[in-house]
Amino acid sequence: MIGIELSLNKKIENLKKQLKIYFTVEDSIAAENGNNECQLNVGLALCNKGNYIKGKYFLEHAMKKNDIAKCIVAEMEYYGIASDINKQKAFSLLSEAKKNGEIAANCLLGIIYYNGDIVKQNYEKSVSLFTMIPDTCIYSRTANFYLYKCYKYGRGVYMDIEKANNLLNKLKQKTHINDRNGFPIEEQIDKLISILDPEFITPKERYKTEFTIFQDELNKIKDTYKQNKFLKAPKFAQNIIQLNNI
């Protein structure tokens, strides 16, 4: 029976990794008690659901030790999400994160140079910053979106329609569930692609499908525990919180 329990626990852990939009009561308590990783994960998950005020609360606590959280808070300040627009504060937070070696800061700094906010507009500088963002970064899709515009319209680089189209195709590819799908810039990207490609399935639509699969798998695991009363369900299976209930 121990083998069954270990197998189920492994399945649950895999599900948690696949779909970080979920968090548990324990995650929330840990975040409130100062667990930096939980503060980041809970804050980002809440923002992806559209609960920006609660999300920002956790992210502002997380950014004391986490520069990714600092970048997300800077994004919220820049676009006026859950607060008034404060581009100077955004620039300050991003400069600090970049100084600490956080590569994600380059994307939003690139947007600032692209738009000419706070600093003099400099497309060449923005392109340089966008190209520093690796595909594994949560800002990779945003960086590729701006690079697409740069190559399509010849901003900071020679116009290259083929490269622009390659970047557009890259934007259509599946992104991680936790990659800021609830933020306005992501919705702007989805809107553009949907106009250019009516068959495009947005990350939010993909999420609904994956959410259903996740829930079905979790329910199967819960049923196994109910049928085998000798097994004690882990807290995650007992206590799951769905963000649509928050």
Side-chain angles (χ1 to χ4, degrees), residues 144-145 147-153 159-173 193 196:
N144 285 330
F145 172 61
L147 283 172
Y148 157 76
K149 294 201 290 186
C150 287
Y151 280 102
K152 182 174 181 179
Y153 301 110
M159 187 182 293
D160 188 331
I161 300 301
E162 183 179 353
K163 191 156 189 175
N165 287 336
N166 288 338
L167 285 162
L168 181 62
N169 288 330
K170 201 170 185 179
L171 289 172
K172 297 177 187 179
Q173 294 172 10
I193 299 172
L196 297 173

mmCIF file with all atom_site columns, all heavy atoms in Angstrom, residues 144-145 147-153 159-173 193 196:
data_model
loop_
_atom_site.group_PDB
_atom_site.id
_atom_site.type_symbol
_atom_site.label_atom_id
_atom_site.label_alt_id
_atom_site.label_comp_id
_atom_site.label_asym_id
_atom_site.label_entity_id
_atom_site.label_seq_id
_atom_site.pdbx_PDB_ins_code
_atom_site.Cartn_x
_atom_site.Cartn_y
_atom_site.Cartn_z
_atom_site.occupancy
_atom_site.B_iso_or_equiv
_atom_site.pdbx_formal_charge
_atom_site.auth_seq_id
_atom_site.auth_comp_id
_atom_site.auth_asym_id
_atom_site.auth_atom_id
_atom_site.pdbx_PDB_model_num
ATOM 1   N N   . ASN A 1 144 ? 9.937  39.115 -27.613 1.00 0.00 ? 144 ASN A N   1
ATOM 2   C CA  . ASN A 1 144 ? 9.790  38.703 -29.017 1.00 0.00 ? 144 ASN A CA  1
ATOM 3   C C   . ASN A 1 144 ? 8.726  39.534 -29.744 1.00 0.00 ? 144 ASN A C   1
ATOM 4   O O   . ASN A 1 144 ? 8.830  39.795 -30.942 1.00 0.00 ? 144 ASN A O   1
ATOM 5   C CB  . ASN A 1 144 ? 9.440  37.219 -29.100 1.00 0.00 ? 144 ASN A CB  1
ATOM 6   C CG  . ASN A 1 144 ? 10.640 36.332 -28.821 1.00 0.00 ? 144 ASN A CG  1
ATOM 7   O OD1 . ASN A 1 144 ? 11.774 36.711 -29.098 1.00 0.00 ? 144 ASN A OD1 1
ATOM 8   N ND2 . ASN A 1 144 ? 10.408 35.153 -28.261 1.00 0.00 ? 144 ASN A ND2 1
ATOM 9   N N   . PHE A 1 145 ? 7.700  39.946 -29.015 1.00 0.00 ? 145 PHE A N   1
ATOM 10  C CA  . PHE A 1 145 ? 6.657  40.789 -29.586 1.00 0.00 ? 145 PHE A CA  1
ATOM 11  C C   . PHE A 1 145 ? 7.243  42.123 -30.049 1.00 0.00 ? 145 PHE A C   1
ATOM 12  O O   . PHE A 1 145 ? 6.969  42.596 -31.157 1.00 0.00 ? 145 PHE A O   1
ATOM 13  C CB  . PHE A 1 145 ? 5.564  41.010 -28.541 1.00 0.00 ? 145 PHE A CB  1
ATOM 14  C CG  . PHE A 1 145 ? 4.511  42.014 -28.942 1.00 0.00 ? 145 PHE A CG  1
ATOM 15  C CD1 . PHE A 1 145 ? 3.724  41.819 -30.059 1.00 0.00 ? 145 PHE A CD1 1
ATOM 16  C CD2 . PHE A 1 145 ? 4.306  43.154 -28.175 1.00 0.00 ? 145 PHE A CD2 1
ATOM 17  C CE1 . PHE A 1 145 ? 2.742  42.739 -30.412 1.00 0.00 ? 145 PHE A CE1 1
ATOM 18  C CE2 . PHE A 1 145 ? 3.330  44.082 -28.522 1.00 0.00 ? 145 PHE A CE2 1
ATOM 19  C CZ  . PHE A 1 145 ? 2.551  43.877 -29.639 1.00 0.00 ? 145 PHE A CZ  1
ATOM 20  N N   . LEU A 1 147 ? 10.469 42.728 -30.620 1.00 0.00 ? 147 LEU A N   1
ATOM 21  C CA  . LEU A 1 147 ? 11.435 42.462 -31.694 1.00 0.00 ? 147 LEU A CA  1
ATOM 22  C C   . LEU A 1 147 ? 10.713 42.279 -33.029 1.00 0.00 ? 147 LEU A C   1
ATOM 23  O O   . LEU A 1 147 ? 11.204 42.712 -34.079 1.00 0.00 ? 147 LEU A O   1
ATOM 24  C CB  . LEU A 1 147 ? 12.268 41.218 -31.364 1.00 0.00 ? 147 LEU A CB  1
ATOM 25  C CG  . LEU A 1 147 ? 13.381 41.409 -30.321 1.00 0.00 ? 147 LEU A CG  1
ATOM 26  C CD1 . LEU A 1 147 ? 13.996 40.059 -29.947 1.00 0.00 ? 147 LEU A CD1 1
ATOM 27  C CD2 . LEU A 1 147 ? 14.461 42.364 -30.840 1.00 0.00 ? 147 LEU A CD2 1
ATOM 28  N N   . TYR A 1 148 ? 9.557  41.638 -32.980 1.00 0.00 ? 148 TYR A N   1
ATOM 29  C CA  . TYR A 1 148 ? 8.734  41.472 -34.184 1.00 0.00 ? 148 TYR A CA  1
ATOM 30  C C   . TYR A 1 148 ? 8.406  42.841 -34.786 1.00 0.00 ? 148 TYR A C   1
ATOM 31  O O   . TYR A 1 148 ? 8.553  43.065 -36.000 1.00 0.00 ? 148 TYR A O   1
ATOM 32  C CB  . TYR A 1 148 ? 7.449  40.722 -33.831 1.00 0.00 ? 148 TYR A CB  1
ATOM 33  C CG  . TYR A 1 148 ? 6.302  40.947 -34.790 1.00 0.00 ? 148 TYR A CG  1
ATOM 34  C CD1 . TYR A 1 148 ? 6.274  40.324 -36.032 1.00 0.00 ? 148 TYR A CD1 1
ATOM 35  C CD2 . TYR A 1 148 ? 5.254  41.808 -34.447 1.00 0.00 ? 148 TYR A CD2 1
ATOM 36  C CE1 . TYR A 1 148 ? 5.229  40.548 -36.920 1.00 0.00 ? 148 TYR A CE1 1
ATOM 37  C CE2 . TYR A 1 148 ? 4.207  42.032 -35.326 1.00 0.00 ? 148 TYR A CE2 1
ATOM 38  C CZ  . TYR A 1 148 ? 4.196  41.406 -36.560 1.00 0.00 ? 148 TYR A CZ  1
ATOM 39  O OH  . TYR A 1 148 ? 3.164  41.638 -37.434 1.00 0.00 ? 148 TYR A OH  1
ATOM 40  N N   . LYS A 1 149 ? 8.000  43.782 -33.931 1.00 0.00 ? 149 LYS A N   1
ATOM 41  C CA  . LYS A 1 149 ? 7.664  45.127 -34.420 1.00 0.00 ? 149 LYS A CA  1
ATOM 42  C C   . LYS A 1 149 ? 8.895  45.853 -34.960 1.00 0.00 ? 149 LYS A C   1
ATOM 43  O O   . LYS A 1 149 ? 8.815  46.572 -35.962 1.00 0.00 ? 149 LYS A O   1
ATOM 44  C CB  . LYS A 1 149 ? 7.006  45.940 -33.299 1.00 0.00 ? 149 LYS A CB  1
ATOM 45  C CG  . LYS A 1 149 ? 5.642  45.405 -32.875 1.00 0.00 ? 149 LYS A CG  1
ATOM 46  C CD  . LYS A 1 149 ? 4.803  46.442 -32.164 1.00 0.00 ? 149 LYS A CD  1
ATOM 47  C CE  . LYS A 1 149 ? 5.321  46.783 -30.795 1.00 0.00 ? 149 LYS A CE  1
ATOM 48  N NZ  . LYS A 1 149 ? 4.402  47.696 -30.067 1.00 0.00 ? 149 LYS A NZ  1
ATOM 49  N N   . CYS A 1 150 ? 10.031 45.647 -34.283 1.00 0.00 ? 150 CYS A N   1
ATOM 50  C CA  . CYS A 1 150 ? 11.270 46.301 -34.728 1.00 0.00 ? 150 CYS A CA  1
ATOM 51  C C   . CYS A 1 150 ? 11.678 45.826 -36.115 1.00 0.00 ? 150 CYS A C   1
ATOM 52  O O   . CYS A 1 150 ? 12.036 46.637 -36.985 1.00 0.00 ? 150 CYS A O   1
ATOM 53  C CB  . CYS A 1 150 ? 12.393 46.029 -33.729 1.00 0.00 ? 150 CYS A CB  1
ATOM 54  S SG  . CYS A 1 150 ? 12.222 46.932 -32.169 1.00 0.00 ? 150 CYS A SG  1
ATOM 55  N N   . TYR A 1 151 ? 11.624 44.511 -36.339 1.00 0.00 ? 151 TYR A N   1
ATOM 56  C CA  . TYR A 1 151 ? 12.030 43.976 -37.641 1.00 0.00 ? 151 TYR A CA  1
ATOM 57  C C   . TYR A 1 151 ? 10.982 44.249 -38.716 1.00 0.00 ? 151 TYR A C   1
ATOM 58  O O   . TYR A 1 151 ? 11.321 44.438 -39.892 1.00 0.00 ? 151 TYR A O   1
ATOM 59  C CB  . TYR A 1 151 ? 12.315 42.475 -37.543 1.00 0.00 ? 151 TYR A CB  1
ATOM 60  C CG  . TYR A 1 151 ? 13.682 42.191 -36.965 1.00 0.00 ? 151 TYR A CG  1
ATOM 61  C CD1 . TYR A 1 151 ? 13.829 41.802 -35.642 1.00 0.00 ? 151 TYR A CD1 1
ATOM 62  C CD2 . TYR A 1 151 ? 14.828 42.340 -37.747 1.00 0.00 ? 151 TYR A CD2 1
ATOM 63  C CE1 . TYR A 1 151 ? 15.092 41.559 -35.099 1.00 0.00 ? 151 TYR A CE1 1
ATOM 64  C CE2 . TYR A 1 151 ? 16.094 42.102 -37.224 1.00 0.00 ? 151 TYR A CE2 1
ATOM 65  C CZ  . TYR A 1 151 ? 16.216 41.721 -35.895 1.00 0.00 ? 151 TYR A CZ  1
ATOM 66  O OH  . TYR A 1 151 ? 17.461 41.501 -35.365 1.00 0.00 ? 151 TYR A OH  1
ATOM 67  N N   . LYS A 1 152 ? 9.729  44.294 -38.345 1.00 0.00 ? 152 LYS A N   1
ATOM 68  C CA  . LYS A 1 152 ? 8.679  44.549 -39.337 1.00 0.00 ? 152 LYS A CA  1
ATOM 69  C C   . LYS A 1 152 ? 8.734  45.988 -39.845 1.00 0.00 ? 152 LYS A C   1
ATOM 70  O O   . LYS A 1 152 ? 8.529  46.250 -41.038 1.00 0.00 ? 152 LYS A O   1
ATOM 71  C CB  . LYS A 1 152 ? 7.303  44.261 -38.733 1.00 0.00 ? 152 LYS A CB  1
ATOM 72  C CG  . LYS A 1 152 ? 6.169  44.465 -39.743 1.00 0.00 ? 152 LYS A CG  1
ATOM 73  C CD  . LYS A 1 152 ? 4.821  44.046 -39.206 1.00 0.00 ? 152 LYS A CD  1
ATOM 74  C CE  . LYS A 1 152 ? 3.742  44.247 -40.271 1.00 0.00 ? 152 LYS A CE  1
ATOM 75  N NZ  . LYS A 1 152 ? 2.407  43.829 -39.799 1.00 0.00 ? 152 LYS A NZ  1
ATOM 76  N N   . TYR A 1 153 ? 9.000  46.923 -38.931 1.00 0.00 ? 153 TYR A N   1
ATOM 77  C CA  . TYR A 1 153 ? 8.962  48.342 -39.312 1.00 0.00 ? 153 TYR A CA  1
ATOM 78  C C   . TYR A 1 153 ? 10.354 48.986 -39.407 1.00 0.00 ? 153 TYR A C   1
ATOM 79  O O   . TYR A 1 153 ? 10.460 50.186 -39.634 1.00 0.00 ? 153 TYR A O   1
ATOM 80  C CB  . TYR A 1 153 ? 8.109  49.119 -38.305 1.00 0.00 ? 153 TYR A CB  1
ATOM 81  C CG  . TYR A 1 153 ? 6.698  48.608 -38.222 1.00 0.00 ? 153 TYR A CG  1
ATOM 82  C CD1 . TYR A 1 153 ? 6.245  47.942 -37.085 1.00 0.00 ? 153 TYR A CD1 1
ATOM 83  C CD2 . TYR A 1 153 ? 5.808  48.762 -39.290 1.00 0.00 ? 153 TYR A CD2 1
ATOM 84  C CE1 . TYR A 1 153 ? 4.947  47.458 -37.004 1.00 0.00 ? 153 TYR A CE1 1
ATOM 85  C CE2 . TYR A 1 153 ? 4.507  48.284 -39.226 1.00 0.00 ? 153 TYR A CE2 1
ATOM 86  C CZ  . TYR A 1 153 ? 4.086  47.628 -38.078 1.00 0.00 ? 153 TYR A CZ  1
ATOM 87  O OH  . TYR A 1 153 ? 2.811  47.151 -38.012 1.00 0.00 ? 153 TYR A OH  1
ATOM 88  N N   . MET A 1 159 ? 14.886 46.624 -41.815 1.00 0.00 ? 159 MET A N   1
ATOM 89  C CA  . MET A 1 159 ? 13.614 45.915 -41.973 1.00 0.00 ? 159 MET A CA  1
ATOM 90  C C   . MET A 1 159 ? 13.871 44.511 -42.522 1.00 0.00 ? 159 MET A C   1
ATOM 91  O O   . MET A 1 159 ? 14.626 44.331 -43.467 1.00 0.00 ? 159 MET A O   1
ATOM 92  C CB  . MET A 1 159 ? 12.703 46.685 -42.929 1.00 0.00 ? 159 MET A CB  1
ATOM 93  C CG  . MET A 1 159 ? 11.289 46.125 -43.024 1.00 0.00 ? 159 MET A CG  1
ATOM 94  S SD  . MET A 1 159 ? 10.280 47.042 -44.229 1.00 0.00 ? 159 MET A SD  1
ATOM 95  C CE  . MET A 1 159 ? 10.133 48.635 -43.431 1.00 0.00 ? 159 MET A CE  1
ATOM 96  N N   . ASP A 1 160 ? 13.253 43.518 -41.869 1.00 0.00 ? 160 ASP A N   1
ATOM 97  C CA  . ASP A 1 160 ? 13.444 42.122 -42.275 1.00 0.00 ? 160 ASP A CA  1
ATOM 98  C C   . ASP A 1 160 ? 12.122 41.385 -42.049 1.00 0.00 ? 160 ASP A C   1
ATOM 99  O O   . ASP A 1 160 ? 11.846 40.905 -40.948 1.00 0.00 ? 160 ASP A O   1
ATOM 100 C CB  . ASP A 1 160 ? 14.570 41.496 -41.445 1.00 0.00 ? 160 ASP A CB  1
ATOM 101 C CG  . ASP A 1 160 ? 14.965 40.107 -41.954 1.00 0.00 ? 160 ASP A CG  1
ATOM 102 O OD1 . ASP A 1 160 ? 14.104 39.418 -42.525 1.00 0.00 ? 160 ASP A OD1 1
ATOM 103 O OD2 . ASP A 1 160 ? 16.131 39.705 -41.741 1.00 0.00 ? 160 ASP A OD2 1
ATOM 104 N N   . ILE A 1 161 ? 11.290 41.339 -43.091 1.00 0.00 ? 161 ILE A N   1
ATOM 105 C CA  . ILE A 1 161 ? 9.950  40.757 -42.980 1.00 0.00 ? 161 ILE A CA  1
ATOM 106 C C   . ILE A 1 161 ? 10.020 39.265 -42.656 1.00 0.00 ? 161 ILE A C   1
ATOM 107 O O   . ILE A 1 161 ? 9.206  38.759 -41.868 1.00 0.00 ? 161 ILE A O   1
ATOM 108 C CB  . ILE A 1 161 ? 9.147  40.972 -44.286 1.00 0.00 ? 161 ILE A CB  1
ATOM 109 C CG1 . ILE A 1 161 ? 9.000  42.470 -44.568 1.00 0.00 ? 161 ILE A CG1 1
ATOM 110 C CG2 . ILE A 1 161 ? 7.785  40.305 -44.185 1.00 0.00 ? 161 ILE A CG2 1
ATOM 111 C CD1 . ILE A 1 161 ? 8.297  43.255 -43.472 1.00 0.00 ? 161 ILE A CD1 1
ATOM 112 N N   . GLU A 1 162 ? 11.003 38.572 -43.218 1.00 0.00 ? 162 GLU A N   1
ATOM 113 C CA  . GLU A 1 162 ? 11.131 37.137 -42.949 1.00 0.00 ? 162 GLU A CA  1
ATOM 114 C C   . GLU A 1 162 ? 11.407 36.895 -41.457 1.00 0.00 ? 162 GLU A C   1
ATOM 115 O O   . GLU A 1 162 ? 10.789 36.022 -40.844 1.00 0.00 ? 162 GLU A O   1
ATOM 116 C CB  . GLU A 1 162 ? 12.254 36.537 -43.782 1.00 0.00 ? 162 GLU A CB  1
ATOM 117 C CG  . GLU A 1 162 ? 12.391 35.016 -43.606 1.00 0.00 ? 162 GLU A CG  1
ATOM 118 C CD  . GLU A 1 162 ? 13.501 34.424 -44.453 1.00 0.00 ? 162 GLU A CD  1
ATOM 119 O OE1 . GLU A 1 162 ? 14.092 35.149 -45.272 1.00 0.00 ? 162 GLU A OE1 1
ATOM 120 O OE2 . GLU A 1 162 ? 13.763 33.207 -44.297 1.00 0.00 ? 162 GLU A OE2 1
ATOM 121 N N   . LYS A 1 163 ? 12.310 37.669 -40.906 1.00 0.00 ? 163 LYS A N   1
ATOM 122 C CA  . LYS A 1 163 ? 12.619 37.515 -39.490 1.00 0.00 ? 163 LYS A CA  1
ATOM 123 C C   . LYS A 1 163 ? 11.423 37.915 -38.635 1.00 0.00 ? 163 LYS A C   1
ATOM 124 O O   . LYS A 1 163 ? 11.131 37.287 -37.606 1.00 0.00 ? 163 LYS A O   1
ATOM 125 C CB  . LYS A 1 163 ? 13.837 38.373 -39.119 1.00 0.00 ? 163 LYS A CB  1
ATOM 126 C CG  . LYS A 1 163 ? 14.383 38.062 -37.739 1.00 0.00 ? 163 LYS A CG  1
ATOM 127 C CD  . LYS A 1 163 ? 15.844 38.436 -37.618 1.00 0.00 ? 163 LYS A CD  1
ATOM 128 C CE  . LYS A 1 163 ? 16.417 37.914 -36.315 1.00 0.00 ? 163 LYS A CE  1
ATOM 129 N NZ  . LYS A 1 163 ? 17.875 38.143 -36.204 1.00 0.00 ? 163 LYS A NZ  1
ATOM 130 N N   . ALA A 1 164 ? 10.714 38.957 -39.062 1.00 0.00 ? 164 ALA A N   1
ATOM 131 C CA  . ALA A 1 164 ? 9.515  39.391 -38.336 1.00 0.00 ? 164 ALA A CA  1
ATOM 132 C C   . ALA A 1 164 ? 8.481  38.265 -38.316 1.00 0.00 ? 164 ALA A C   1
ATOM 133 O O   . ALA A 1 164 ? 7.867  37.983 -37.275 1.00 0.00 ? 164 ALA A O   1
ATOM 134 C CB  . ALA A 1 164 ? 8.928  40.640 -38.978 1.00 0.00 ? 164 ALA A CB  1
ATOM 135 N N   . ASN A 1 165 ? 8.285  37.601 -39.448 1.00 0.00 ? 165 ASN A N   1
ATOM 136 C CA  . ASN A 1 165 ? 7.314  36.503 -39.523 1.00 0.00 ? 165 ASN A CA  1
ATOM 137 C C   . ASN A 1 165 ? 7.745  35.309 -38.672 1.00 0.00 ? 165 ASN A C   1
ATOM 138 O O   . ASN A 1 165 ? 6.906  34.635 -38.065 1.00 0.00 ? 165 ASN A O   1
ATOM 139 C CB  . ASN A 1 165 ? 7.124  36.065 -40.976 1.00 0.00 ? 165 ASN A CB  1
ATOM 140 C CG  . ASN A 1 165 ? 6.325  37.071 -41.773 1.00 0.00 ? 165 ASN A CG  1
ATOM 141 O OD1 . ASN A 1 165 ? 5.545  37.843 -41.207 1.00 0.00 ? 165 ASN A OD1 1
ATOM 142 N ND2 . ASN A 1 165 ? 6.521  37.107 -43.083 1.00 0.00 ? 165 ASN A ND2 1
ATOM 143 N N   . ASN A 1 166 ? 9.053  35.049 -38.627 1.00 0.00 ? 166 ASN A N   1
ATOM 144 C CA  . ASN A 1 166 ? 9.553  33.971 -37.763 1.00 0.00 ? 166 ASN A CA  1
ATOM 145 C C   . ASN A 1 166 ? 9.271  34.272 -36.296 1.00 0.00 ? 166 ASN A C   1
ATOM 146 O O   . ASN A 1 166 ? 8.899  33.379 -35.518 1.00 0.00 ? 166 ASN A O   1
ATOM 147 C CB  . ASN A 1 166 ? 11.058 33.784 -37.973 1.00 0.00 ? 166 ASN A CB  1
ATOM 148 C CG  . ASN A 1 166 ? 11.385 33.146 -39.313 1.00 0.00 ? 166 ASN A CG  1
ATOM 149 O OD1 . ASN A 1 166 ? 10.542 32.492 -39.913 1.00 0.00 ? 166 ASN A OD1 1
ATOM 150 N ND2 . ASN A 1 166 ? 12.607 33.344 -39.787 1.00 0.00 ? 166 ASN A ND2 1
ATOM 151 N N   . LEU A 1 167 ? 9.429  35.537 -35.916 1.00 0.00 ? 167 LEU A N   1
ATOM 152 C CA  . LEU A 1 167 ? 9.135  35.939 -34.534 1.00 0.00 ? 167 LEU A CA  1
ATOM 153 C C   . LEU A 1 167 ? 7.635  35.843 -34.255 1.00 0.00 ? 167 LEU A C   1
ATOM 154 O O   . LEU A 1 167 ? 7.219  35.446 -33.164 1.00 0.00 ? 167 LEU A O   1
ATOM 155 C CB  . LEU A 1 167 ? 9.634  37.367 -34.288 1.00 0.00 ? 167 LEU A CB  1
ATOM 156 C CG  . LEU A 1 167 ? 11.142 37.508 -34.141 1.00 0.00 ? 167 LEU A CG  1
ATOM 157 C CD1 . LEU A 1 167 ? 11.578 38.958 -34.337 1.00 0.00 ? 167 LEU A CD1 1
ATOM 158 C CD2 . LEU A 1 167 ? 11.597 37.008 -32.766 1.00 0.00 ? 167 LEU A CD2 1
ATOM 159 N N   . LEU A 1 168 ? 6.835  36.174 -35.256 1.00 0.00 ? 168 LEU A N   1
ATOM 160 C CA  . LEU A 1 168 ? 5.380  36.070 -35.106 1.00 0.00 ? 168 LEU A CA  1
ATOM 161 C C   . LEU A 1 168 ? 4.974  34.622 -34.863 1.00 0.00 ? 168 LEU A C   1
ATOM 162 O O   . LEU A 1 168 ? 4.143  34.334 -33.991 1.00 0.00 ? 168 LEU A O   1
ATOM 163 C CB  . LEU A 1 168 ? 4.687  36.623 -36.359 1.00 0.00 ? 168 LEU A CB  1
ATOM 164 C CG  . LEU A 1 168 ? 3.154  36.597 -36.344 1.00 0.00 ? 168 LEU A CG  1
ATOM 165 C CD1 . LEU A 1 168 ? 2.606  37.464 -35.223 1.00 0.00 ? 168 LEU A CD1 1
ATOM 166 C CD2 . LEU A 1 168 ? 2.614  37.067 -37.690 1.00 0.00 ? 168 LEU A CD2 1
ATOM 167 N N   . ASN A 1 169 ? 5.564  33.711 -35.623 1.00 0.00 ? 169 ASN A N   1
ATOM 168 C CA  . ASN A 1 169 ? 5.272  32.286 -35.432 1.00 0.00 ? 169 ASN A CA  1
ATOM 169 C C   . ASN A 1 169 ? 5.695  31.821 -34.037 1.00 0.00 ? 169 ASN A C   1
ATOM 170 O O   . ASN A 1 169 ? 5.033  30.993 -33.418 1.00 0.00 ? 169 ASN A O   1
ATOM 171 C CB  . ASN A 1 169 ? 5.981  31.456 -36.501 1.00 0.00 ? 169 ASN A CB  1
ATOM 172 C CG  . ASN A 1 169 ? 5.348  31.614 -37.867 1.00 0.00 ? 169 ASN A CG  1
ATOM 173 O OD1 . ASN A 1 169 ? 4.151  31.853 -37.979 1.00 0.00 ? 169 ASN A OD1 1
ATOM 174 N ND2 . ASN A 1 169 ? 6.150  31.515 -38.917 1.00 0.00 ? 169 ASN A ND2 1
ATOM 175 N N   . LYS A 1 170 ? 6.787  32.374 -33.560 1.00 0.00 ? 170 LYS A N   1
ATOM 176 C CA  . LYS A 1 170 ? 7.267  32.034 -32.225 1.00 0.00 ? 170 LYS A CA  1
ATOM 177 C C   . LYS A 1 170 ? 6.276  32.497 -31.162 1.00 0.00 ? 170 LYS A C   1
ATOM 178 O O   . LYS A 1 170 ? 6.075  31.840 -30.145 1.00 0.00 ? 170 LYS A O   1
ATOM 179 C CB  . LYS A 1 170 ? 8.633  32.696 -31.998 1.00 0.00 ? 170 LYS A CB  1
ATOM 180 C CG  . LYS A 1 170 ? 9.466  32.058 -30.913 1.00 0.00 ? 170 LYS A CG  1
ATOM 181 C CD  . LYS A 1 170 ? 10.873 32.628 -30.930 1.00 0.00 ? 170 LYS A CD  1
ATOM 182 C CE  . LYS A 1 170 ? 11.742 31.901 -29.925 1.00 0.00 ? 170 LYS A CE  1
ATOM 183 N NZ  . LYS A 1 170 ? 13.129 32.416 -29.939 1.00 0.00 ? 170 LYS A NZ  1
ATOM 184 N N   . LEU A 1 171 ? 5.643  33.643 -31.416 1.00 0.00 ? 171 LEU A N   1
ATOM 185 C CA  . LEU A 1 171 ? 4.662  34.182 -30.468 1.00 0.00 ? 171 LEU A CA  1
ATOM 186 C C   . LEU A 1 171 ? 3.439  33.279 -30.343 1.00 0.00 ? 171 LEU A C   1
ATOM 187 O O   . LEU A 1 171 ? 2.756  33.278 -29.321 1.00 0.00 ? 171 LEU A O   1
ATOM 188 C CB  . LEU A 1 171 ? 4.207  35.575 -30.903 1.00 0.00 ? 171 LEU A CB  1
ATOM 189 C CG  . LEU A 1 171 ? 5.227  36.707 -30.774 1.00 0.00 ? 171 LEU A CG  1
ATOM 190 C CD1 . LEU A 1 171 ? 4.683  37.972 -31.419 1.00 0.00 ? 171 LEU A CD1 1
ATOM 191 C CD2 . LEU A 1 171 ? 5.579  36.967 -29.322 1.00 0.00 ? 171 LEU A CD2 1
ATOM 192 N N   . LYS A 1 172 ? 3.157  32.532 -31.410 1.00 0.00 ? 172 LYS A N   1
ATOM 193 C CA  . LYS A 1 172 ? 1.980  31.652 -31.400 1.00 0.00 ? 172 LYS A CA  1
ATOM 194 C C   . LYS A 1 172 ? 2.202  30.389 -30.585 1.00 0.00 ? 172 LYS A C   1
ATOM 195 O O   . LYS A 1 172 ? 1.257  29.702 -30.223 1.00 0.00 ? 172 LYS A O   1
ATOM 196 C CB  . LYS A 1 172 ? 1.618  31.247 -32.834 1.00 0.00 ? 172 LYS A CB  1
ATOM 197 C CG  . LYS A 1 172 ? 1.212  32.396 -33.727 1.00 0.00 ? 172 LYS A CG  1
ATOM 198 C CD  . LYS A 1 172 ? 0.950  31.881 -35.132 1.00 0.00 ? 172 LYS A CD  1
ATOM 199 C CE  . LYS A 1 172 ? 0.711  33.018 -36.106 1.00 0.00 ? 172 LYS A CE  1
ATOM 200 N NZ  . LYS A 1 172 ? 0.473  32.525 -37.486 1.00 0.00 ? 172 LYS A NZ  1
ATOM 201 N N   . GLN A 1 173 ? 3.469  30.083 -30.336 1.00 0.00 ? 173 GLN A N   1
ATOM 202 C CA  . GLN A 1 173 ? 3.782  28.839 -29.641 1.00 0.00 ? 173 GLN A CA  1
ATOM 203 C C   . GLN A 1 173 ? 3.295  28.878 -28.195 1.00 0.00 ? 173 GLN A C   1
ATOM 204 O O   . GLN A 1 173 ? 3.159  29.932 -27.597 1.00 0.00 ? 173 GLN A O   1
ATOM 205 C CB  . GLN A 1 173 ? 5.289  28.574 -29.687 1.00 0.00 ? 173 GLN A CB  1
ATOM 206 C CG  . GLN A 1 173 ? 5.805  28.296 -31.094 1.00 0.00 ? 173 GLN A CG  1
ATOM 207 C CD  . GLN A 1 173 ? 7.323  28.233 -31.142 1.00 0.00 ? 173 GLN A CD  1
ATOM 208 O OE1 . GLN A 1 173 ? 7.989  28.216 -30.124 1.00 0.00 ? 173 GLN A OE1 1
ATOM 209 N NE2 . GLN A 1 173 ? 7.861  28.197 -32.349 1.00 0.00 ? 173 GLN A NE2 1
ATOM 210 N N   . ILE A 1 193 ? -2.177 38.690 -32.705 1.00 0.00 ? 193 ILE A N   1
ATOM 211 C CA  . ILE A 1 193 ? -2.039 37.405 -33.396 1.00 0.00 ? 193 ILE A CA  1
ATOM 212 C C   . ILE A 1 193 ? -3.399 36.902 -33.869 1.00 0.00 ? 193 ILE A C   1
ATOM 213 O O   . ILE A 1 193 ? -3.524 36.343 -34.957 1.00 0.00 ? 193 ILE A O   1
ATOM 214 C CB  . ILE A 1 193 ? -1.374 36.360 -32.474 1.00 0.00 ? 193 ILE A CB  1
ATOM 215 C CG1 . ILE A 1 193 ? 0.027  36.841 -32.083 1.00 0.00 ? 193 ILE A CG1 1
ATOM 216 C CG2 . ILE A 1 193 ? -1.273 35.009 -33.175 1.00 0.00 ? 193 ILE A CG2 1
ATOM 217 C CD1 . ILE A 1 193 ? 0.691  35.983 -31.034 1.00 0.00 ? 193 ILE A CD1 1
ATOM 218 N N   . LEU A 1 196 ? -4.250 38.531 -37.094 1.00 0.00 ? 196 LEU A N   1
ATOM 219 C CA  . LEU A 1 196 ? -3.441 38.020 -38.202 1.00 0.00 ? 196 LEU A CA  1
ATOM 220 C C   . LEU A 1 196 ? -3.725 36.550 -38.501 1.00 0.00 ? 196 LEU A C   1
ATOM 221 O O   . LEU A 1 196 ? -3.581 36.095 -39.633 1.00 0.00 ? 196 LEU A O   1
ATOM 222 C CB  . LEU A 1 196 ? -1.957 38.198 -37.885 1.00 0.00 ? 196 LEU A CB  1
ATOM 223 C CG  . LEU A 1 196 ? -1.480 39.653 -37.712 1.00 0.00 ? 196 LEU A CG  1
ATOM 224 C CD1 . LEU A 1 196 ? -0.040 39.679 -37.238 1.00 0.00 ? 196 LEU A CD1 1
ATOM 225 C CD2 . LEU A 1 196 ? -1.626 40.434 -39.017 1.00 0.00 ? 196 LEU A CD2 1
#
